[in-house]
Amino acid sequence: MRNGSLFARYAHPPNVLGHCGPVDPAALVTATWGDGGSDELALVARRFAGVWPYLELIAASNGISDPLDDRVAEAYWVGSSLLEGVSTSSLLGCVRAHPDGRLGDPLGHSRLELWVNAGGIANHGFHVLAVYPWLALARSGRREPAISVLERCRIRWGRVERVDSDDVAIRSRRLYLDGQRLALGEERVEQVRCSADDFGFVADLEPGDMVSLHWDRVCDRLHPDALANLQHYTARSLEAVNTEASQD
Amino acid sequence: MCMSRLHRVVSAPIGGWVTVEDVEGDEHRVSLLAFEGSQPGPGDWLVVHSGYALQSVDPAEASAITNELRAAQTVER
């Protein structure tokens, strides 16, 4: 598996939906798993303008030359100890300069600096909760579609219950608002899909497998360390963005 | 990863959906379910995120932001 494939398996589902990256999702697939070299993939990856600044930051903070190194992508999407190598000040600089920061807070309710200082990390889950407008919208009373978007956009985990061709029943915990506090609710079963645009990443799923999900697509089979990291950094991100709620 | 993007309304909304055009000229159909404010019309600029229009943007501000984003993209490429 060459560098870039871990980045691509999580970037592909929202790309297919048209939420990020090149208009034609085939560009990512071809650059990652086709005959193109690392330069071609880097060009495509840069067009995921929301992701790229974090990959560069995590790589630079940990002395890794390639932002598409799978260790960097894993830290960004799932979470790993590499996140501890990113200083609070450099993370704050990254989110302040981030393209989402320019348009991401229509209500002006974000407490980004507070949340970064409260344990924020250079991770997708934290960005979704802290930088995107949806949490502020949900807390202002416009809970739907805000909570649904947060749920689909964050990287989450689930246990496979049943597999029926491309349809997979997953047991997972979904986000909910308890007053102003965002939390994970009780486990429940939901239907997700194994592929996006007829392109899947995980073969031979079986009941009991633990998997990661992005935009209701299965992205990876999680080994125990990755699952623990995803759970740990999700909890940390929730704690950070609940700082405001705790103080209110 | 989804990004907040600026889109210009192409035609009048129908049934809670509106067709918009991004700064590169590609058309998209986005939901108005999360939109707050008076109904947008052709030529209006909207902030769109994850397939939902969120709010209108003043044309002058939209122009400033699109110029800023284009400049950043030029530097990246």
Side-chain angles (χ1 to χ4, degrees):
Chain A
M1 190 165 78
R2 76 185 190 202
N3 278 338
S5 58
L6 195 58
F7 159 77
R9 68 169 58 217
Y10 286 95
H12 185 252
N15 183 219
V16 167
L17 293 171
H19 297 329
C20 59
V23 172
D24 181 5
L28 175 64
V29 172
T30 303
T32 308
W33 292 282
D35 295 332
S38 56
D39 289 347
E40 181 185 341
L41 178 57
L43 283 174
V44 172
R46 282 174 181 272
R47 298 191 63 187
F48 291 80
V51 181
W52 189 253
Y54 286 106
L55 299 180
E56 287 190 311
L57 176 62
I58 295 167
S61 300
N62 288 281
I64 297 172
S65 59
D66 182 5
L68 289 173
D69 188 304
D70 281 347
R71 293 171 296 170
V72 174
E74 181 177 31
Y76 173 73
W77 292 117
V78 178
S80 79
S81 59
L82 293 190
L83 296 175
E84 309 301 337
V86 181
S87 70
T88 300
S89 60
S90 59
L91 173 58
L92 202 49
C94 180
V95 295
R96 280 178 176 152
H98 196 281
D100 272 338
R102 190 74 175 86
L103 291 170
D105 186 22
L107 296 182
H109 287 176
S110 173
R111 301 288 183 268
L112 197 49
E113 187 164 339
L114 172 69
W115 294 344
V116 169
N117 286 317
I121 40 181
N123 171 267
H124 181 68
F126 178 73
H127 185 90
V128 168
L129 298 181
V131 182
Y132 285 175
W134 297 106
L135 180 54
L137 289 167
R139 281 176 168 160
S140 75
R142 293 153 68 185
R143 295 196 173 193
E144 289 301 332
I147 295 290
S148 297
V149 174
L150 289 172
E151 187 65 30
R152 282 177 286 165
C153 199
R154 73 186 179 100
I155 307 301
R156 55 201 179 97
W157 65 92
R159 182 185 302 279
V160 174
E161 294 276 310
R162 294 181 302 278
V163 181
D164 180 10
S165 185
D166 196 45
D167 297 320
V168 184
I170 296 284
R171 181 175 292 278
S172 69
R173 299 177 64 188
R174 297 179 70 87
L175 293 170
Y176 77 105
L177 264 183
D178 178 12
Q180 292 292 291
R181 189 169 184 81
L182 190 64
L184 291 175
E186 297 296 314
E187 285 189 344
R188 68 182 211 184
V189 177
E190 62 182 296
Q191 290 292 324
V192 299
R193 298 192 65 193
C194 205
S195 69
D197 203 22
D198 294 329
F199 198 83
F201 302 108
V202 183
D204 304 323
L205 276 179
E206 295 182 353
D209 285 347
M210 294 302 297
V211 295
S212 55
L213 305 161
H214 197 195
W215 283 99
D216 297 337
R217 299 299 192 270
V218 176
C219 294
D220 207 353
R221 187 181 275 111
L222 292 173
H223 58 76
D225 287 348
L227 174 62
N229 278 332
L230 181 55
Q231 292 172 332
H232 169 72
Y233 287 106
T234 298
R236 183 165 152 181
S237 297
L238 285 169
E239 188 176 345
V241 301
N242 281 329
T243 302
E244 178 188 40
S246 301
Q247 291 182 350
D248 284 346
Chain B
M1 170 129 172
C2 351
M3 293 254 312
S4 296
R5 295 172 174 170
L6 272 183
H7 291 69
R8 194 174 55 82
V9 176
V10 173
S11 55
I14 300 174
W17 296 83
V18 63
T19 300
V20 295
E21 181 183 60
D22 64 27
V23 293
E24 293 177 341
D26 294 313
E27 288 194 359
H28 310 267
R29 191 165 166 262
V30 300
S31 170
L32 292 171
L33 186 61
F35 189 79
E36 195 162 64
S38 56
Q39 183 157 285
D44 286 349
W45 285 90
L46 308 178
V47 175
V48 172
H49 195 287
S50 306
Y52 293 92
L54 297 177
Q55 67 171 29
S56 297
V57 177
D58 176 78
E61 186 183 1
S63 177
I65 293 171
T66 52
N67 288 338
E68 185 180 313
L69 293 176
R70 281 188 179 123
Q73 287 168 355
T74 302
V75 169
E76 280 182 6
R77 287 170 185 169

